[in-house]
Amino acid sequence: MRTIFYILIIFQLFSSKAFSQEIVMNGIVIDSENQEPIEFVNIGVQNKNQGTITNSNGKFNLRLPKEYKTDSVTVSHINYYSVKILAQNLKNQTILLEPKTTVLSEVVVSNKKIKNRKIGVKSYNRLLSTRVTSKSTDIIELAQLIKVPTEEAKVKAVNFNIRKWSKVDGVKVRINFYENVDNYPSKKIIQKNIIQEIPTERESDWIRIDLNNSDIYITQDFFIGIEFIPNFNNPTIVDLGGILTKGKGYRRESSLGTWEKLNGGASINVEIAY
């Protein structure tokens, strides 16, 4: 009996020590103007693959190793100005984000004949898929380089290929546009929060997101990003179509994490008019 008692004490000491090695962070993110919670805000340590995302009520939970206590946690959303908070101070916090001012770009009407074209990876290898996995409270994102053939093009739609066996029930996607810097995705260049839920019933591996009414005009080569927002109940596991013959594909499996180069290209393309 005494031996068992000592073992229990030792186990409790080790459990307490292991628990103390983590920083537990939680809180809610709200709009500073209307005081409404903001859903799907990316929260993480920049480029260190430690992150999470707020749920539909603007709430979040994040655990970090203790060595990150002096790191800054970035709170980021495309429609708001980002803020940084010291990790060790991020507990039971109400975080206010200031909305960005929307600037409408000038649209020039021309009478020239419009060309329509699909650019990017338009096929996939049936024997190949790119599997990405993320936690139940964090994102997965894939990006593919798109080369614009003209001075300006309107993005009409985004297409991406998800193999039919992927478990994506209740998962939404956000479409992001990134600046191309030395064939690497950099800062976001289109300030629009484009979110759509993936259909549970799908007739095809290809999913099309219609952007024709979003008035998105691009004047440079860019990366198109498909960010998978979790359902907050189960880990997200996505098998995305891909090919080996084209490079310039990237992925990351954490909010604000590091982009990793794919061995080939992700089956993502855009429909443009110019």
Side-chain angles (χ1 to χ4, degrees):
M1 181 65 71
R2 181 177 297 178
T3 302
I4 294 175
F5 177 73
Y6 287 145
I7 290 173
L8 286 172
I9 291 176
I10 292 170
F11 176 78
Q12 289 174 350
L13 286 173
F14 274 107
S15 297
S16 176
K17 184 177 180 181
F19 183 77
S20 67
Q21 298 305 306
E22 285 188 324
I23 308 167
V24 181
M25 293 165 286
N26 52 62
I28 184 170
V29 183
I30 64 176
D31 186 302
S32 64
E33 292 186 357
N34 61 25
Q35 303 300 303
E36 293 292 328
I38 309 171
E39 64 179 3
F40 310 144
V41 178
N42 297 113
I43 301 172
V45 182
Q46 202 91 34
N47 296 321
K48 290 193 176 179
N49 301 323
Q50 300 283 341
T52 189
I53 193 169
T54 60
N55 63 19
S56 58
N57 298 314
K59 295 182 178 181
F60 69 92
N61 289 281
L62 177 63
R63 292 178 180 268
L64 291 180
K66 196 172 183 179
E67 58 263 29
Y68 287 87
K69 68 179 182 179
T70 57
D71 280 272
S72 292
V73 175
T74 299
V75 183
S76 174
H77 188 284
I78 192 68
N79 291 342
Y80 296 84
Y81 293 104
S82 299
V83 299
K84 292 188 176 183
I85 301 172
L86 199 64
Q88 61 187 5
N89 296 335
L90 193 54
K91 187 173 184 180
N92 296 321
Q93 283 259 11
T94 297
I95 302 170
L96 301 176
L97 292 188
E98 179 186 353
K100 292 179 181 177
T101 302
T102 302
V103 179
L104 298 177
S105 57
E106 181 182 0
V107 177
V108 179
V109 179
S110 173
N111 60 1
K112 72 175 184 179
K113 186 177 180 180
I114 300 297
K115 297 180 181 178
N116 294 285
R117 186 173 171 186
K118 189 179 289 187
I119 301 175
V121 180
K122 295 169 281 188
S123 62
Y124 66 98
N125 187 326
R126 295 187 179 275
L127 301 178
L128 175 70
S129 65
T130 300
R131 170 163 288 190
V132 285
T133 306
S134 192
K135 296 176 293 185
S136 60
T137 58
D138 206 0
I139 62 99
I140 299 171
E141 188 166 12
L142 293 105
Q144 181 65 36
L145 178 63
I146 303 295
K147 294 191 174 183
V148 180
T150 182
E151 292 183 357
E152 182 179 74
K154 179 181 181 180
V155 180
K156 298 177 63 179
V158 175
N159 304 293
F160 54 97
N161 184 285
I162 299 179
R163 309 308 294 272
K164 287 184 179 179
W165 59 77
S166 290
K167 302 291 185 181
V168 290
D169 294 349
V171 174
K172 298 179 179 180
V173 293
R174 175 158 45 197
I175 306 300
N176 297 314
F177 294 78
Y178 295 97
E179 181 182 18
N180 171 34
V181 177
D182 298 328
N183 290 327
Y184 187 87
S186 185
K187 66 180 181 180
K188 292 180 180 178
I189 55 175
I190 299 296
Q191 306 301 308
K192 292 180 182 287
N193 189 38
I194 303 167
I195 295 176
Q196 184 168 315
E197 186 166 345
I198 297 176
T200 303
E201 300 281 334
R202 292 185 286 129
E203 297 180 358
S204 169
D205 285 357
W206 286 97
I207 294 175
R208 184 179 187 271
I209 308 295
D210 191 330
L211 301 179
N212 195 47
N213 294 327
S214 297
D215 292 327
I216 297 173
Y217 292 85
I218 295 289
T219 60
Q220 62 191 68
D221 293 349
F222 65 98
F223 276 89
I224 187 72
I226 311 296
E227 178 184 2
F228 292 85
I229 297 171
N231 61 17
F232 297 95
N233 295 318
N234 303 296
T236 303
I237 302 173
V238 178
D239 287 303
L240 197 83
I243 57 176
L244 293 175
T245 55
K246 292 185 179 180
K248 310 302 184 293
Y250 288 84
R251 74 176 183 185
R252 60 179 173 184
E253 300 180 19
S254 181
S255 288
L256 307 174
T258 303
W259 289 102
E260 299 178 2
K261 194 175 186 306
L262 296 173
N263 292 322
S267 294
I268 303 172
N269 62 71
V270 298
E271 299 171 27
I272 65 169
Y274 61 97

